[in-house]
Amino acid sequence: MSIGHPAGLPAALLGVDRTLIVGVLNVTPDSFSDGGRYRNAQAAIEHGVALHTAGADFVDVGGESTRPGAVRVAASEEEHRVLAVLSGLKAAGVPTSIDTMRATTATAAVAEGAFLVNDVSGGLADADMYGTVAGLGVAYVVMHWRGHSTTMQSQATYTNVVEEVSRELQARIAAALAAGIAPGAIVVDPGLGFAKEADHNWGLLQSLPEFTSLGYPVLLGASRKRFLGNLLASPDGQVRPVDERDGATSAISALAAAAGVWAVRVHDVPGSVDAVRVGRAWRLGRA
């Protein structure tokens, strides 16, 4: 079984027959893992290049934190944070995507070289997003989402998390298609950690075939998230620190690759590069 790619990928990625590695680059002061570390454009560009050199197939650049409790920033500030970084990475030959919920930011980012729009709201945060993406003709990630960061955890209520997330994702896909986004451009993301408690995330991971069977490539973002910190807590209940969750993230990358997931979005690229190779061999039954 090969992993199908969405339309609009750079030519260099089209022949890759394995789960892609997406490097996370947050150009923010308040992201949960690396907030503030790459606020300077040059530092962000250098880190993006380093992620690509380490094995990231492309780098996902975001200028607005979506961690639980994060407050939104103005569109102008979001664009100020990301556009120079995207331009610099393009000049360095690094493929990029844009992590945004705003149509205007998506448009500006694509003009600076981004080939994919990673919208954690699945089109719910901006009524203009679907039409904009349809006009841009780029790949589009539809993530499961129930509300902004300030309120999302209050909406983490499910009777059957897999069935409900799948149904809500399919509704967003239908809306995107109705707005003119090409079926071949769509990627789905079950939204680990977004309006999800730890057991919800594990239930979704256990049921990855439910999402890969929807007929669209699947992007998975588990990297360093709190449910991993909870799992790895010390005997006295102390949650594992964010920067000590990469081993668990790599384990999920291997399992995701074995399940036929299209791409994993990670902070620690080398660990997931190796993990994906293991997962691919597991899935195919050969090296």
Side-chain angles (χ1 to χ4, degrees), residues 46-112:
E46 290 174 0
H47 184 60
V49 171
L51 289 170
H52 185 53
T53 301
D57 295 292
F58 62 95
V59 173
D60 192 39
V61 180
E64 181 176 40
S65 175
T66 53
R67 64 171 175 77
V71 177
R72 299 210 70 186
V73 300
S76 58
E77 175 60 21
E78 181 185 25
E79 292 177 22
H80 172 72
R81 292 175 179 179
V82 302
L83 295 183
V85 176
L86 289 165
S87 178
L89 291 175
K90 180 181 179 181
V94 178
T96 58
S97 59
I98 180 65
D99 175 3
T100 185
M101 295 182 280
R102 289 189 174 96
T104 53
T105 302
T107 299
V110 169
E112 294 294 348

Side-chain angles (χ1 to χ4, degrees), residues 39-40 60 78 85 98-99 106 109-110 121 132-133 137 192-193 200 205 210 217 220 222 228 240 254 260 265-267:
R39 290 184 70 185
N40 174 273
D60 192 39
E78 181 185 25
V85 176
I98 180 65
D99 175 3
V110 169
S121 81
T132 295
V133 170
L192 300 177
H200 298 142
L205 287 168
E210 175 75 23
L220 198 65
L228 298 178
R240 179 75 62 87
R265 184 178 181 275
V266 299
H267 299 83

Side-chain angles (χ1 to χ4, degrees), residues 18-262:
R18 57 161 171 76
T19 296
L20 297 184
I21 308 295
V22 184
V24 178
L25 179 51
N26 294 313
V27 193
T28 60
D30 56 346
S31 291
F32 80 95
S33 177
D34 51 5
R37 192 172 299 177
Y38 308 114
R39 290 184 70 185
N40 174 273
Q42 188 56 41
I45 292 165
E46 290 174 0
H47 184 60
V49 171
L51 289 170
H52 185 53
T53 301
D57 295 292
F58 62 95
V59 173
D60 192 39
V61 180
E64 181 176 40
S65 175
T66 53
R67 64 171 175 77
V71 177
R72 299 210 70 186
V73 300
S76 58
E77 175 60 21
E78 181 185 25
E79 292 177 22
H80 172 72
R81 292 175 179 179
V82 302
L83 295 183
V85 176
L86 289 165
S87 178
L89 291 175
K90 180 181 179 181
V94 178
T96 58
S97 59
I98 180 65
D99 175 3
T100 185
M101 295 182 280
R102 289 189 174 96
T104 53
T105 302
T107 299
V110 169
E112 294 294 348
F115 68 87
L116 177 149
V117 175
N118 180 16
D119 179 3
V120 300
S121 81
L124 290 170
D126 187 338
D128 293 330
M129 182 64 92
Y130 290 158
T132 295
V133 170
L136 292 170
V138 295
Y140 179 62
V141 178
V142 178
M143 196 191 82
H144 177 265
W145 187 83
R146 285 185 166 180
H148 287 289
S149 298
T150 51
T151 62
M152 67 180 179
Q153 289 312 107
S154 66
Q155 300 179 63
T157 303
Y158 303 88
T159 301
N160 184 314
V161 68
V162 175
E163 289 183 3
E164 291 170 56
V165 169
S166 178
R167 184 170 63 247
E168 291 169 28
L169 266 177
Q170 290 180 71
R172 300 319 308 157
I173 292 167
L177 295 173
I181 296 178
I186 291 175
V187 176
V188 298
D189 180 345
L192 300 177
F194 289 79
K196 317 282 191 312
E197 301 295 347
D199 284 349
H200 298 142
N201 295 322
W202 291 118
L204 292 169
L205 287 168
Q206 186 185 47
S207 300
L208 281 177
E210 175 75 23
F211 300 98
T212 57
S213 68
L214 291 176
Y216 301 93
V218 173
L219 172 70
L220 198 65
S223 185
R224 297 180 177 175
K225 288 189 174 179
R226 186 173 178 83
F227 76 101
L228 298 178
N230 290 338
L231 176 73
L232 303 174
S234 61
D236 64 1
Q238 185 172 356
V239 175
R240 179 75 62 87
V242 170
D243 59 358
E244 296 178 17
R245 301 172 189 173
D246 287 335
T249 299
S250 295
I252 290 180
S253 293
L255 294 169
V261 164
W262 171 67

